[in-house]
Amino acid sequence: MEDVQETGTLTPPVDNVVTRSYQQEMLEASLLENIIVAQDTGSGKTHIAVLRMKIESERQPHKVSWFLAPTVTLCEQQHVVISQAIAGPVRLVHGGLEPKQWTDPELWNAVIKNNRVIVSTPQVLLDALSHGFVSLGNQIGLLVFDEAHHAAENHPMNCIMRDHYFSLPVRQPAMTSNHGPVREERPMVLGLTASPMFGGNVAEAFQNLEKNLDSVIRRPRRHLGNLADYVHRPTFRHVVYTQHKQYYTCHLDSPNLQVLKQVVGALDIEQDPYVLALREDLRKRPPGPERQRVDQKLSKVIHKKDSYTHRGLRNLEKTAHDICYDLGPWASDWFVQEAVDHGLKSVTPFNEVISPWQHKEKAYLIEHLSKIKSSLVSPDPETIDSRISNKVQALLRTLAEEKTRSESFNEPYSGLIFVTRRDAVLALFGILMCHPLTRDAFEIGTLVGASESSYRTAPLDITRKMDAKSQADTLTEFRSGDINLVVATAVAEEGLDIQACGNVIRWDIPSNMASWVQSRGRARRKRSSFVLMFEAEFDNGRIAEFEEQERRMEEMYNKERRRIAAETDQLQPGVDGEDTDTVFRVKSTGAALTLSAAISHLNHFCSLLPATRHENYQALYDIDPPDMPEGWHSSVPCYDDILPYQGPFGCTLTLPKVIDAKLRVHVVKRIHLSKRSAYQHAAFQAYVALYEAGLLNDHLLPLMSVKERVLDEDEQLLLALIDKRSGFASVARQLNPWQPAEVQDSWWSADITIHGLPPLTLFAQVEVPTLNNDTLLNLYHPVKGPLTVTTSPAKLVKLPAEDGEAARYYTRRLFWTRVGPRMTWEHLDFAYLFMSYGDPNAAVWEGRREWCRSQNEDVDPGKVLLANAESFGKVYNYPTDITYVREGGSSGKAYRFVGWQFEKLSSEQEEELRTSRRYSRIEGLQVTYPLLVAEPLSNKVNLLLRRPVAKPGKYIFFIPKYSCIELCSSAECEYSYMLPSILRHLTVAMTAESLRRTLFTKAPGLANIPTSLLIPAITAPAANELLNYQRLESLGDAVLKFIVAVNLMARYPLWPEGYLTRRKDQTVNNGRLAKAATKVALYKWIIRTNFIPRKYTPLYLTQPTDVSRMDIPLDEEPTAESEKPKNESEQLSTKMLADVVESLIGAAYIHGGFDLGIECARLFRLGLDLSGVRDNVETILSRVEPSTGFSSRLGDVERMIGYTFERKLLLVEALTHASYHFDTETVSYERMEFLGDALLDMFVIDYLYHFAGRAFTPRDMHCFKAAMVNTYFLAYRCLQLSVEVDASMPMPSPGGRISLQHKTERIHLFQCLLHSSTVVLDEQRLSFKRFEKNSAEIEEALSVGKVFPWAALTRLQPPKFLSDMIESIIGAVFLDSSGNIETVRTLLRTLGIMDYLERVVQENVDVLHPVSRLGIWVSQQHKQIAYDYTEEKGNVVCTITVDGLEPVQAKAEKRGRVSQEEARFAAAEKAIAAWGVGAMWGSIKV
């Protein structure tokens, strides 16, 4: 990379830069044809590309220019330059942005649509093209290849051209503009390079590069002199040195290297723990493919001495020897000392220890490192000077001379030293920093690549120490002059934005022509120098070769050249001279699979399979013939020699056992010329098979790597509606069931009956449901206690005008009594009307109201329902049939009438009355008799909620002159008090009935769900009703997951468990359910408004215009009791939408079992065509092939679980671990465990939901389920289950005769797991030891304890495969019994799960997990909690910290991650005791 124009810093915008004549010449040439610009470093090639991209964006406005640079660092720098130069969006895409995760084509389309130029590494574009996310012919107008000389063989640059470019139609003439329809055609190509070749024959190299890039290599001709004005070739100098020591004897001067060689020489590969472990593993393995692999691995390790310790120490020895020869014994002594110290501190080759032999290997390496007793290396300058090589001495002299030369021109020195090896960079840096000739004369830095190779991360690699300062920091300091000498690897040859420096020194001879030209190009300042260091009589020929190649390149530049069409065979990804047509393409997307990409694609597929700590899924390649003869590792003496096999080769590829047997093994014949070709063909064959089996999508990506897209427009709208609102959806408000589609003359009529009150007739424009046993209404009156409300069946009637008007007046009177201040007197268009035809006191009170109207002709109409108590008493002789009185006027508070007080009060009582709050402001108040006696009314309460009868209130005296009487009968007053609650219940029932008659017509079976189930299913907790959807949602969630699981098992027989789990999660997640609910407008029927009687307002058919209710929060007002403006929307939680879907499924399941639950799930179209459980089970069983010859061990398992399998293969699958390679026909248990997990959850939740006498809350159910369905408890049962088996053996009797001695042996379930892993074997043994130690405590707690034994169970630290066995057996029994629920229920009892669950529930055992208990308590205290983990003396220590409290610690023996869980649990228990947390699990009331 270079600046747009040569400067000392990053380039200013291109508009401020004058284009030079030679740049204009190259730009014009690039417009006519594809060219590769070959110009020296620093000549402004990037400026040509910027100008070309600007023109292309005008010529092809619908296509982008794609700029490709070989490294991320170079991409970042070029992005800065291009962004400053081009007015428009320029997008940078590289590996750090995780483009491999961009699996949505729309994301790529958006990137291309919104940018004019895209800058990326070639691999990014190649991946996007290979997976069909980007169309080279339709979306890209120009390809720019920076450092274009890389476009050869299988470099991504060449793959882009070979696999995707040449198959496109040839581009139309370049000078034509294209503002019409987008044409599919080849993009134009512009290459940039300082050297078109790496080495070899110049003409052939030019021809190959031109063919690969479909271009012509060009260099300015007309303005070549102008180019020379700006490119300053450095003065070439060479420094010849002679090494005074021979390579094979130089180590004799390095004491530390000699000690290292002695230790390495004494190594015995047979004593290496890795070899010993392989031999032990081989001894235990039965015949089969896995034994053959272990045999090969053992022979290879011994033959190549390639164990972790041997390889690491040999590499260290070789590196130190090279440094000794190249830099001298001081450097090698220093390097060995640093490497050994570093290794002893960081020798942890495994992130997490998972088997004992790895402990041994670590100890083995430490043991041998400790034997290297290195001598301390003196930093004394004289010592350094006497122990460095002649080559270093020559370098020191050269640096001094170059610095003097620069200063003679009054120029500051700046130099680069190019070194091949990273470790040599570090050693040379150490010498220069200490040597007296350089330590004060130069400010020195280092520059190396960011490689993360396996060697770099090995414990003996010390080059990571150089990473203290980043590349960017070093470059910045070099540009600013803070550093004037950089020791660098090849990373500085090309790509990095390094200013022109005055001196470049090649410590090592360049490896190729490109390296020669690139490194020389860094010395491009005027009067710069390029210094080559080479050994006398060894490197002269190489220098001459470079000079001759450069001369030939000049000749080629000056020749007239034309673009050469690439041959057909050149365009194919051949491997070792074969395979010219092995490409698989997907027509729908354009995705392509080539041989060169097959292995990496397959590795990616395997990496996405959910792995366990016992099995890291990967494809296994068995070469044919094997590399080593079988048993070679045991041949004697000194092992047999092996003659190299030259081919042909075949290969057997085996995919992980979680893949179905039909897809697991792929064989290619022994016809390929190389091993790699055989591997690639096997991987290619396997990947195509995976695609054809549906395990890859049309972009040739694993299904698990793809975020599910919404394809149709409606779903896209829903996606924008829900997902973009962070958990909320904008939806229409709750349905108003009282509002008819059109107001009719006829009305529905029903009689409301309440004990002790005359019937009340209800009229409505819609049919009112009958209140019966299914919709029973009980009111909880604060005075009268529980009251049952019934309604007669509704009938359609004609309501004459007079009767209608009377009903409206009567309805207004009922509501006005209670909520008059929030009503408009003139508005009578009620949605429901009431009339009482049987009130015996109606005429009496009508006469009293008539009298009141005659007394108040010019007064507020509302006052005709109130009469002054003094006047009323005098006129009607103080009647006692009054119900309500009010203090003051119409706005005064209402009280329940008790009677008249004729008897005079005491003077003290009268004084108390005068000074009371009601009368203290009235001057000269006279207490007149009789007084009114009343008691406070209960607050306006929700009578639908259970509450006890209120105690009588204290009597209060009122002066009649200042009080009012409600002019309503006692029945009218009671109805006015109870109607809001009655109407609320009717509204809810009518909403449920509306759901039944509309949405449920699409699924007729749902229409029969009882209203008593339907109402809670659609009632949100926010509604504050007696029942809500939470319990049903918990049940529905478990049912839905089970029915989805069994459907997926049947539909996708080849999918591994990871795919099934991902697909299930996609189907049942809240986002999907919320979208489904929104699509069918379920939100209309969700009861979610809180019923607040004190803010109640009646509902009208048309909106009143004078209602002062704007201060009432919307979420506190019941939608069904107040008309809302049409099209008004609200924000609704997507979780609420999802919960109602699940609660409806739960209600359907309760009423009609799985079939009705599935019918309900189908209603919401969850992206999966659901079918019945029985049909799915039959489909799964139809694929189970009959088989014989099973192990007797299966019978032992059947005895343990109390079930005999009809299809033994199902039990074999349930017991097969992924490591088991002996049986190649059976898939491992993960799919069966997937089904069993869903089944177990569903059974436990179903039991808890239906538990007699208790209505467990979702939190209760979660806590109980967490106790019974967790890794620890299920593993405990797996370890506990056992059976006695006959172990009789022929034995000698006391008399010496051989006879059958009867003996029994106990076999445990965990021992019946089929596996081929020594790690699993170790885990089983250790787990059972912990079981034996803790089982008595666990069993006692489970049988009679009051607290669930979390602590003891956690101490088992069981591996997950133990609990997986229980769940997979549950799944297998379910299938083998043809989906018989009762059989599974019996199995759960045999497994002990149901018995323990029943005791825990019935005896109310405290099952709350201590960590959860502590978390709840901390939250209640409004504090923060922190868990910190440290390691000390072989233990994991957990420290819990809470603000203001003394920290608590607990420890557990280190055995991997499970040790953290044990330590955290123990610490939580200690914290609960120390901090007085107390019980967080109260008893559950019946």
Side-chain angles (χ1 to χ4, degrees), residues 137-289:
N138 290 310
Q139 295 177 308
I140 301 176
L142 173 66
L143 281 174
V144 181
F145 293 93
D146 197 12
E147 311 295 351
H149 50 275
H150 289 286
E153 298 179 344
N154 284 323
H155 191 279
M157 286 187 181
N158 194 38
C159 291
I160 291 170
M161 299 295 292
R162 182 188 65 200
D163 300 336
H164 302 281
Y165 172 90
F166 286 107
S167 60
L168 294 171
V170 176
R171 185 182 176 106
Q172 294 186 13
M175 292 302 292
T176 62
S177 63
N178 182 12
H179 291 276
V182 175
R183 299 190 299 263
E184 182 183 27
E185 60 185 3
R186 297 178 182 178
M188 291 203 74
V189 176
L190 174 63
L192 308 175
T193 183
S195 172
M197 58 177 289
F198 283 97
N201 183 278
V202 175
E204 184 179 333
F206 270 48
Q207 187 179 45
N208 287 339
L209 183 61
E210 289 175 333
K211 284 183 178 180
N212 290 346
L213 291 183
D214 192 31
S215 305
V216 178
I217 298 174
R218 296 290 188 205
R219 187 178 180 184
R221 294 184 181 178
R222 300 194 312 271
H223 301 284
L224 186 59
N226 181 246
L227 173 62
D229 293 338
Y230 292 96
V231 176
H232 308 292
R233 287 281 179 92
T235 301
F236 175 63
R237 298 179 58 216
H238 61 272
V239 174
V240 181
Y241 62 90
T242 302
Q243 290 288 38
H244 64 287
K245 295 288 184 181
Q246 295 295 319
Y247 181 82
Y248 294 106
T249 60
C250 66
H251 65 279
L252 298 177
D253 293 329
S254 174
N256 289 353
L257 179 53
Q258 290 188 65
V259 175
L260 173 61
K261 284 181 173 291
Q262 292 172 3
V263 172
V264 173
L267 288 174
D268 182 1
I269 190 64
E270 285 291 350
Q271 300 305 313
D272 192 290
Y274 184 52
V275 172
L276 295 175
L278 287 176
R279 287 198 183 278
E280 178 65 16
D281 189 11
L282 186 67
R283 186 182 65 82
K284 297 177 180 178
R285 297 259 180 204

Side-chain angles (χ1 to χ4, degrees), residues 429 432-433 438-439 442-446 483-487:
F429 173 74
L432 295 177
M433 291 294 291
T438 53
R439 65 183 180 187
F442 301 95
E443 298 296 330
I444 308 170
T446 60
I483 292 176
N484 62 2
L485 178 62
V486 174
V487 186

Side-chain angles (χ1 to χ4, degrees), residues 468-486:
K469 185 177 291 185
S470 68
Q471 287 184 359
D473 291 341
T474 300
L475 291 173
T476 299
E477 293 182 22
F478 190 56
R479 295 187 194 106
S480 66
D482 294 336
I483 292 176
N484 62 2
L485 178 62
V486 174

